[in-house]
Amino acid sequence: MNAPLILASSSPQRRKLLALLVPDFEVVNPDIDETRLTDESPEAMTHRLAIEKASIIYRQRGPDVRVLGGDTAIVIADRILGKPTGHDHAVSMLTDLSETTHTVYSSVALCSSRGYRSLLSRSKVTFRALTADEIKHYCLTGDPYDKAGGYGIQSAAGSFVEKLSGSYTGVIGLPLWETHQLLFAIKSE
């Protein structure tokens, strides 16, 4: 029988996506410092944070559980875009993303009595040209403020996307193919 699963995340998007794969899991918000380390690549940062999120909850609740953690970074021109700090910051981010291609790194990690495993999803997202009015209207919806890069592809901002190469669910925050591989590809305990 599989050990109980815990999602180490405060993200409602990750919770909804995981529910597509697993009907029964607990959600626990990990309290970690998500600051990027000096000279840390976005890939390394998302990998480290996904593992840290899962590990901290596993240390609290293990060894008879499995803990899934995830982290996502939006990168444009070697700059990681976090969550906007306010209206002007959200407008600035979306203006920067307009008519450009950015990369979304989304790591997922599973900690269990077998140790940890982690996988990375890398996606390219191209935005069409956005008008100042579109950006302002979207920011007034309140949607950008809890999302890396200031947008949710699963919301009205999906209309900003001209092209996506990679994982749609990875852009949302939990790449389902990679998550499925961690949870089911190797026999669970």
Side-chain angles (χ1 to χ4, degrees):
M1 175 175 233
N2 286 341
L5 181 64
I6 299 171
L7 174 62
S9 180
S10 62
S11 166
Q13 292 82 20
R14 284 193 186 105
R15 183 178 307 134
K16 288 176 189 174
L17 287 170
L18 184 58
L20 297 173
L21 296 179
V22 181
D24 187 32
F25 59 92
E26 183 181 350
V27 179
V28 178
N29 184 16
D31 185 20
I32 67 164
D33 180 0
E34 296 190 38
T35 305
R36 182 182 187 186
L37 302 177
T38 305
D39 297 325
E40 187 176 37
S41 71
E43 299 98 318
M45 183 189 81
T46 61
H47 176 78
R48 175 181 59 82
L49 291 175
I51 292 169
E52 282 185 21
K53 289 173 185 179
S55 295
I56 193 167
I57 301 304
Y58 183 77
R59 284 192 303 273
Q60 293 169 1
R61 304 283 295 274
D64 298 321
V65 297
R66 298 172 299 150
V67 183
L68 190 74
D71 192 69
T72 302
I74 310 291
V75 180
I76 182 170
D78 296 324
R79 221 173 12 116
I80 295 178
L81 302 181
K83 296 175 185 175
T85 56
H87 177 79
D88 291 343
H89 192 209
V91 168
S92 174
M93 281 185 182
L94 292 168
T95 301
D96 289 348
L97 292 171
S98 178
E99 283 191 288
T100 64
T101 299
H102 59 278
T103 305
V104 180
Y105 299 97
S106 196
S107 289
V108 61
L110 181 69
C111 287
S112 70
S113 60
R114 296 177 149 180
Y116 74 86
R117 299 182 299 270
S118 177
L119 293 172
L120 171 73
S121 166
R122 180 182 296 113
S123 303
K124 295 282 188 181
V125 180
T126 303
F127 271 22
R128 64 176 170 79
L130 304 177
T131 67
D133 283 344
E134 283 179 300
I135 292 171
K136 178 182 174 185
H137 175 73
Y138 179 64
C139 290
L140 290 175
T141 68
D143 194 53
Y145 303 107
D146 66 341
K147 295 169 183 69
Y151 77 94
I153 195 171
Q154 72 279 12
S155 66
S159 69
F160 301 165
V161 178
E162 184 177 301
K163 183 178 178 184
L164 167 64
S165 176
S167 170
Y168 173 77
T169 57
V171 175
I172 296 173
L174 187 71
L176 289 183
W177 186 88
E178 288 80 359
T179 302
H180 185 274
Q181 294 302 301
L182 291 177
L183 292 175
F184 303 113
I186 300 171
K187 279 285 192 202
S188 298
E189 54 277 36

